[in-house]
Amino acid sequence: MEAHSLIKDAGLKLTPRRRAMIAHFSLSSGPLAPVELHERLKAEFPRCGLPGVYRNLEALADCGVLFRVAGFGRERRYALCSQPHHEEHHHHHIICISCGRVGQVEECLYQEGMMIDGFRLVGHLVQLRGVCAPCAVKESEGSG
Amino acid sequence: MEAHSLIKDAGLKLTPRRRAMIAHFSLSSGPLAPVELHERLKAEFPRCGLPGVYRNLEALADCGVLFRVAGFGRERRYALCSQPHHEEHHHHHIICISCGRVGQVEECLYQEGMMIDGFRLVGHLVQLRGVCAPCAVKESEGSG
DNA sequence: AACCTAAACAGAAAAAGTTTCTATTTAAGA
DNA sequence: TCTTAAATAGAAACTTTTTCTGTTTAGGTT
């Protein structure tokens, strides 16, 4: 599994807890907040506290397994990178508002150096929401 | 002043505190966090507490005078809309990383309905950083 | 100019979210 | 198996944010 080698390569350990966290993200429809993940982990790891969840979320985000989702107001949320990269590879994500599926956007419409409104672009944060193909099909079936 | 009519039109009151807040944002180079604004207000309003600052920041953001800046990690920050709109008008902002100047981006490269990575785009969060024209001039003068 | 009312205010308090710390346990390479 | 750096648990502290209550004020009206 790709995620596991990312962890190893970062010099981190593949612990039962981290395996479980990744599994929960795989099963989850949509990004998870630390408390939500904690809720789900408690069944299997009754002694697991929130601080540990925070630590692991950050560790997994740092090594590229997860990414930090913006655009949920002030909430902190994470989701699985669908195609994790080892390098600090610039890419964005699009999240299906219906099922939570994550798509990876390799080519951003905003590129460094572009002139925008008289400013030379040097950085950007983009978080997209959309409807994925399977959900679009379901939508049209439902209404048609 | 544009901001003042936005406040009135929203049925809100133009209080001395709000005038001062807007003035501080005008003077400030760059977006401000609630605590930072609170620090600056304390000189003039010694009895002003943080809760009041939060309340007013949200009120001013709701009526379009300020906007909530994304992309500062988990920090909450606000800045003045450079060209406030009455309508719930979709636009983004580009912030100069050197001086904090805010530019308004009316035409976003991402538009609803676009197909991206197999998803139909329905929403997006964009926060841009750049170098404004005056700062670009300073840059080239400094290095040349 | 005084009056009225909805809105803003102060301040305390609570709640929520997050980080830090120390001692103990564990994954995984040697 | 041994060793060690990393992960863990749990408490505690800390920061940020929200809620609540009673008091004051802006701004339209009489």
Side-chain angles (χ1 to χ4, degrees):
Chain A
M1 201 184 197
E2 175 78 41
H4 293 184
S5 65
L6 279 175
I7 291 172
K8 295 288 187 72
D9 292 355
L12 301 179
K13 292 182 181 172
L14 187 50
T15 65
R17 174 105 34 115
R18 286 178 181 168
R19 282 176 195 277
M21 285 175 62
I22 293 169
H24 277 292
F25 274 107
S26 300
L27 294 172
S28 164
S29 61
L32 295 173
V35 273
E36 292 171 352
L37 183 59
H38 182 229
E39 279 304 315
R40 299 174 194 206
L41 287 170
K42 277 196 293 192
E44 192 179 350
F45 303 91
R47 306 187 53 194
C48 169
L50 255 176
V53 175
Y54 274 91
R55 243 178 290 133
N56 280 322
L57 285 171
E58 281 302 290
L60 294 178
D62 285 343
C63 72
V65 174
L66 303 178
F67 68 99
R68 302 170 183 93
V69 182
F72 278 86
R74 303 217 51 71
E75 277 189 292
R76 171 187 290 209
R77 283 180 184 275
Y78 299 79
L80 273 186
C81 272
S82 49
Q83 303 146 37
H85 293 275
H86 283 78
E87 325 274 321
E88 190 59 44
H89 173 76
H90 180 85
H91 64 267
H92 302 300
H93 298 90
I94 182 165
I95 299 177
C96 178
I97 58 170
S98 172
C99 72
R101 192 186 320 265
V102 173
Q104 209 121 325
V105 182
E106 302 295 339
E107 286 297 318
C108 182
L109 300 183
Y110 287 101
Q111 297 286 337
E112 288 205 12
M114 287 175 73
M115 291 305 296
I116 294 180
D117 203 45
F119 289 60
R120 188 181 76 247
L121 192 63
V122 298
H124 62 282
L125 167 73
V126 168
Q127 181 65 64
L128 305 171
R129 293 168 185 243
V131 178
C132 72
C135 286
V137 171
K138 277 183 225 151
E139 256 184 26
S140 60
E141 279 172 354
S143 68
Chain B
M1 202 183 193
E2 176 77 40
H4 293 184
S5 65
L6 279 174
I7 291 172
K8 294 290 186 72
D9 292 356
L12 301 178
K13 292 180 182 174
L14 185 51
T15 65
R17 176 113 22 125
R18 287 179 181 168
R19 283 177 194 275
M21 286 175 63
I22 293 170
H24 277 291
F25 274 107
S26 300
L27 294 173
S28 165
S29 60
L32 294 174
V35 274
E36 292 171 351
L37 183 60
H38 182 228
E39 279 303 315
R40 298 175 194 206
L41 286 170
K42 277 197 294 193
E44 192 179 351
F45 303 90
R47 305 189 53 193
C48 169
L50 255 177
V53 174
Y54 274 91
R55 242 178 292 135
N56 280 321
L57 284 170
E58 281 301 291
L60 293 178
D62 285 343
C63 72
V65 174
L66 302 178
F67 68 99
R68 302 170 184 92
V69 181
F72 278 87
R74 302 217 50 72
E75 277 190 293
R76 172 186 288 209
R77 283 179 183 275
Y78 299 80
L80 274 186
C81 271
S82 48
Q83 303 147 36
H85 294 274
H86 282 78
E87 324 274 322
E88 189 59 44
H89 173 74
H90 179 85
H91 64 268
H92 302 301
H93 298 90
I94 183 165
I95 298 176
C96 178
I97 57 171
S98 170
C99 72
R101 192 187 321 260
V102 172
Q104 209 121 324
V105 182
E106 302 295 338
E107 285 297 318
C108 182
L109 300 182
Y110 288 101
Q111 296 287 335
E112 286 205 14
M114 285 175 74
M115 291 306 295
I116 294 181
D117 204 45
F119 289 60
R120 188 182 76 247
L121 192 63
V122 299
H124 62 283
L125 167 73
V126 168
Q127 182 65 64
L128 305 171
R129 294 168 186 244
V131 177
C132 72
C135 286
V137 171
K138 278 183 225 149
E139 254 182 28
S140 59
E141 279 172 354
S143 68

